[in-house]
Amino acid sequence: MDKKYRFVFWSVVIVAAITLLPFLGNTDFTTKGEPREAVVALSMLSQHNWILPVNNGFDIPYKPPFFQWCIAALSLPFGHINVFLSRLPSALALIIMLGAGAVFFAKRKDRNVSFLASVIMLTAFEVHRAATNCRVDMVLTMFLVCGLYAFYKWWERGCRMLPWLAILCMSGATLTKGPVGIVLPCFVMFVFILFVAWQQRRLGLSVVWQTIYKLFLAAVLASVLPALWYIAAYQQGGDQFLGLVLDENVGRFLGKMKAVTHDNPWHYNLLMLVAGWLPWTLPMLLSLFVLPWKQLAARLQSKEKGGLWSRIVAGMRKADAIQVFTWLSFLLILFFYCIPKSKRGVYLLPCYPFMAVLLIEYTFWFVKRSLLPIRFYIGFLSLVGFVLTALLVILRTGAVPDSIFHGKHAWENLQMLHALSDGAMSFGDIILVMMPLLAACIGLMVLLHRRAGFITSRPVLASTVMTLLVFVGFDGFYKPMAMNAQSLRPLAMQVQQVAQGAPVYALTDINKHEVGEDVLRFYGIDFYLGDRVRQFDVDKPKNGVVVVPASKKQLLDAPFCNAYTFKELMRTQHRVSCFKDTVYVYRFTQVSSGPRPQ
């Protein structure tokens, strides 16, 4: 790596590592999504099966296992898997992607653009959340984006030899979430190569076929490693595994999944991008009010250089290759994920590295005309810092009564209130609490033009530093304090205590599973119990302990009431947020006939 790019690389990597790594393990699992991935890695180690382990007593993984391999491999030296290690692959994936992107764009654009684009992407809500979650999406995004970078470097060299780095990245992406890891990079690169050929007026049938041939060969080679896993997994899982693969990859894309999830219209993705870029959405939207709309309209209506379409085509022909690559990568990925019926904001993560560059370039352009959007954003962050700190002080004084919360979520809100107001604070916590306040002070210095230094004299850089400080305070103190009030760990420990060493089972409606409907799983409890949970209606055991939500208690009646006796051991006093219901624990014993559940 050239010395002049090392500073950018290490600056981005160090900032990302300091922002992400120290706080990964501070927040327990509170949803079903994270422990669902972590328990697969846990079952790999406990069963010594790295191909297709059975977890939760019944499930086989429906995604390829690279993400879980990473968790298991990182956990091997420690002999156990915890929350921190489960989230570490996602954080490392973002750090790698940010470092690679910083160098990639610094070489081809500008070091300031590449650095700031990396930092604003780090603090975009959707990206930051994915990097601190135990989910496959950030690892997939890293492989997809780095694969596109590698493809571009291969194109710069005249498409000679084979793009081995891109091939390895596509293999990793496919082993993370399926064939999309090959299809998407090849699709983007195919359009880009043809577009550049059109720019150079050499687009012909031979160029099209050469491009198809080279990308097809790369796709075939990228399929080799994933194919080995698919074959081995099919040998273990048979038709059940094959059905899951077809449903997840073919059925999801065609909108024919057995259990349709996240079914949304195409414009949903646009709304998710706006929400995903928070808090940076605010200055970008405000900038629309300071643009020279009259001048732009006059230029569009001008007929001096031909019609509007002619000028657009002329501009497209003059655009440099890296700008074309950046725009096409963003737009084609967005278009690709608008096709399936199933849409989620997290699917759009590969758009963010390219959007970040475009947004920073746009920011540099509009701040030359008006600093108002950035100064307003700095003022907003200052207000957030002061208000957040003041609210915490008020909460710690006990001035907020419990009676302010009402309704269905009152108990969960009260637990978060008590965690923030009553929880013990260490010296480190006090430092973290001061981060938003420090951001507010920097903001005031910028707005009042006092003590102008390297940061405060540069509003865009100042707003970036302020956003980082707010995120550090949130991740390090506020988020763990609030979210751990909804942790699944205490419930798992209660179940372990009342079970007294007996086998633990969960009730799954097997009929729903067979027709493809969504089925409740106790992934969080299973993770914290070390993958001890089995399925009651699948195993039909002789005795043990069964965990069931209140809404599913009736499932214990008709099929099982004549074969088992049930004794209630415990119930949660309030609903568990993950299940949106209270949870019962019964001890059961198999008999010829018996009473109904108590």
Side-chain angles (χ1 to χ4, degrees):
M1 186 190 303
D2 197 317
K3 288 184 179 180
K4 63 182 178 180
Y5 302 122
R6 288 180 185 174
F7 179 77
V8 175
F9 173 81
W10 285 112
S11 297
V12 168
V13 167
I14 291 171
V15 168
I18 292 174
T19 305
L20 296 173
L21 298 182
F23 315 118
L24 288 178
N26 289 10
T27 306
D28 288 344
F29 290 147
T30 59
T31 64
K32 67 177 182 179
E34 289 193 274
R36 180 181 63 197
E37 307 293 350
V39 80
V40 175
L42 184 62
S43 62
M44 284 179 178
L45 295 180
S46 62
Q47 299 169 28
H48 305 288
N49 181 350
W50 291 62
I51 302 298
L52 201 71
V54 176
N55 65 83
N56 206 46
F58 180 73
D59 292 328
I60 61 172
Y62 58 89
K63 296 187 184 85
F66 185 86
F67 178 72
Q68 288 78 14
W69 286 347
C70 292
I71 297 174
L74 290 169
S75 303
L76 276 175
F78 303 95
H80 68 279
I81 294 177
N82 57 28
V83 173
F84 175 84
L85 294 170
S86 299
R87 292 171 176 155
L88 186 56
S90 295
L92 293 177
L94 179 58
I95 293 171
I96 292 169
M97 184 174 69
L98 290 176
V103 174
F104 179 83
F105 285 107
K107 288 181 177 180
R108 294 161 182 85
K109 283 183 174 287
D110 178 80
R111 281 178 288 181
N112 290 332
V113 168
S114 67
F115 174 78
L116 289 174
S118 297
V119 177
I120 70 164
M121 184 171 64
L122 171 65
T123 52
F125 170 75
E126 194 68 71
V127 175
H128 196 85
R129 180 175 65 170
T132 55
N133 274 3
C134 176
R135 302 296 293 267
V136 304
D137 302 285
M138 186 51 70
V139 174
L140 171 69
T141 300
M142 182 268 293
F143 279 127
L144 289 174
V145 173
C146 290
L148 286 171
Y149 294 157
F151 260 138
Y152 187 87
K153 293 179 68 175
W154 170 70
W155 171 82
E156 284 182 319
R157 297 192 297 267
C159 298
R160 294 188 297 270
M161 306 297 289
L162 286 171
W164 287 110
L165 183 56
I167 289 170
L168 288 175
C169 286
M170 289 192 294
S171 294
T174 306
L175 281 169
T176 303
K177 207 174 181 179
V180 67
I182 294 174
V183 174
L184 189 52
C186 288
F187 167 59
V188 173
M189 206 60 201
F190 174 74
V191 176
F192 168 73
I193 292 174
L194 295 188
F195 189 93
V196 173
W198 170 78
Q199 280 185 313
Q200 299 171 355
R201 291 180 169 81
R202 60 180 183 84
L203 181 60
L205 193 60
S206 61
V207 173
V208 174
W209 282 113
Q210 286 179 12
T211 304
I212 292 174
Y213 164 73
K214 292 175 181 178
L215 292 177
F216 178 75
L217 181 59
V220 170
L221 292 173
S223 303
V224 173
L225 291 178
L228 296 177
W229 175 79
Y230 277 106
I231 293 170
Y234 178 73
Q235 290 175 344
Q236 289 190 26
D239 291 340
Q240 181 187 3
F241 168 74
L242 182 61
L244 282 172
V245 170
L246 293 175
D247 193 44
E248 274 292 315
N249 296 286
V250 180
R252 181 184 292 275
F253 194 80
L254 298 177
K256 297 181 179 180
M257 289 186 71
K258 291 181 180 178
V260 179
T261 57
H262 314 296
D263 189 358
N264 291 294
W266 68 269
H267 55 266
Y268 175 84
N269 281 341
L270 302 180
L271 296 175
M272 287 299 98
L273 282 178
V274 172
W277 270 108
L278 288 170
W280 293 104
T281 304
L282 181 61
M284 298 306 161
L285 292 178
L286 288 173
S287 70
L288 299 178
F289 295 96
V290 300
L291 295 183
W293 291 110
K294 291 184 179 180
Q295 297 177 21
L296 293 173
R299 290 183 62 184
L300 289 175
Q301 295 172 2
S302 173
K303 298 181 180 180
E304 294 180 1
K305 299 180 180 179
L308 175 61
W309 176 247
S310 299
R311 282 179 285 150
I312 291 175
V313 171
M316 291 167 63
R317 285 194 182 277
K318 292 178 182 178
D320 61 343
I322 186 61
Q323 198 71 3
V324 170
F325 175 76
T326 305
W327 272 104
L328 284 179
S329 296
F330 159 51
L331 293 174
L332 292 175
I333 292 170
L334 177 61
F335 167 76
F336 181 87
Y337 281 111
C338 285
I339 298 173
K341 283 189 175 182
S342 180
K343 297 176 181 66
R344 293 178 63 207
V346 76
Y347 296 164
L348 302 175
L349 283 172
C351 291
Y352 283 78
F354 307 102
M355 283 189 73
V357 173
L358 298 173
L359 288 176
I360 283 296
E361 290 180 330
Y362 170 68
T363 301
F364 284 170
W365 178 78
F366 78 69
V367 294
K368 292 177 181 178
R369 289 153 179 80
S370 175
L371 285 173
L372 180 62
I374 291 296
R375 291 177 66 82
F376 187 94
Y377 178 59
I378 289 173
F380 169 76
L381 289 179
S382 300
L383 182 63
V384 169
F386 284 124
V387 170
L388 201 60
T389 307
L391 284 176
L392 181 64
V393 171
I394 293 172
L395 289 176
R396 303 294 293 189
T397 61
V400 180
D402 293 354
S403 57
I404 66 169
F405 294 115
H406 305 279
K408 185 169 58 175
H409 301 282
W411 187 81
E412 292 97 325
N413 293 331
L414 277 175
Q415 297 309 301
M416 289 191 285
L417 173 68
H418 290 164
L420 289 168
S421 60
D422 303 333
M425 290 180 61
S426 64
F427 178 75
D429 291 333
I430 295 174
I431 297 296
L432 291 170
V433 166
M434 298 299 291
M435 292 295 103
L437 186 60
L438 176 60
C441 294
I442 293 175
L444 283 182
M445 292 172 65
V446 174
L447 296 175
L448 298 175
H449 301 287
R450 293 182 179 176
R451 297 184 182 180
F454 179 74
I455 293 177
T456 55
S457 62
R458 294 166 173 79
V460 177
L461 179 60
S463 64
T464 306
V465 172
M466 291 172 65
T467 309
L468 276 171
L469 291 173
V470 172
F471 268 76
V472 168
F474 178 77
D475 285 346
F477 178 79
Y478 291 97
K479 180 183 174 182
M481 278 287 191
M483 297 306 296
N484 283 344
Q486 301 180 28
S487 170
L488 295 171
R489 184 196 297 270
L491 176 59
M493 297 301 101
Q494 288 178 335
V495 172
Q496 183 179 39
Q497 183 177 3
V498 299
Q500 297 180 347
V504 178
Y505 295 87
L507 181 64
T508 300
D509 190 351
I510 191 63
N511 295 322
K512 280 192 174 184
H513 182 83
E514 290 175 348
V515 298
E517 294 185 29
D518 190 28
V519 178
L520 182 67
R521 294 285 195 273
F522 289 84
Y523 293 112
I525 295 175
D526 191 30
F527 174 81
Y528 284 116
L529 292 182
D531 195 27
R532 283 179 51 197
V533 177
R534 299 295 178 262
Q535 298 303 319
F536 179 72
D537 46 341
V538 175
D539 292 357
K540 296 181 174 59
K542 293 183 178 180
N543 55 67
V545 168
V546 61
V547 185
V548 57
S551 61
K552 301 291 183 181
K553 284 201 309 176
Q554 71 276 9
L555 296 177
L556 291 173
D557 292 356
F560 305 113
C561 64
N562 294 326
Y564 293 91
T565 59
F566 296 93
K567 178 182 179 182
E568 182 182 317
L569 297 179
M570 64 161 283
R571 72 177 74 174
T572 56
Q573 294 182 350
H574 302 277
R575 68 181 204 148
V576 180
S577 59
C578 179
F579 311 117
K580 300 178 182 178
D581 204 350
T582 55
V583 174
Y584 286 73
V585 180
Y586 293 103
R587 185 178 298 279
F588 65 88
T589 304
Q590 189 178 53
V591 293
S592 56
S593 62
R596 298 172 68 83
Q598 298 182 19

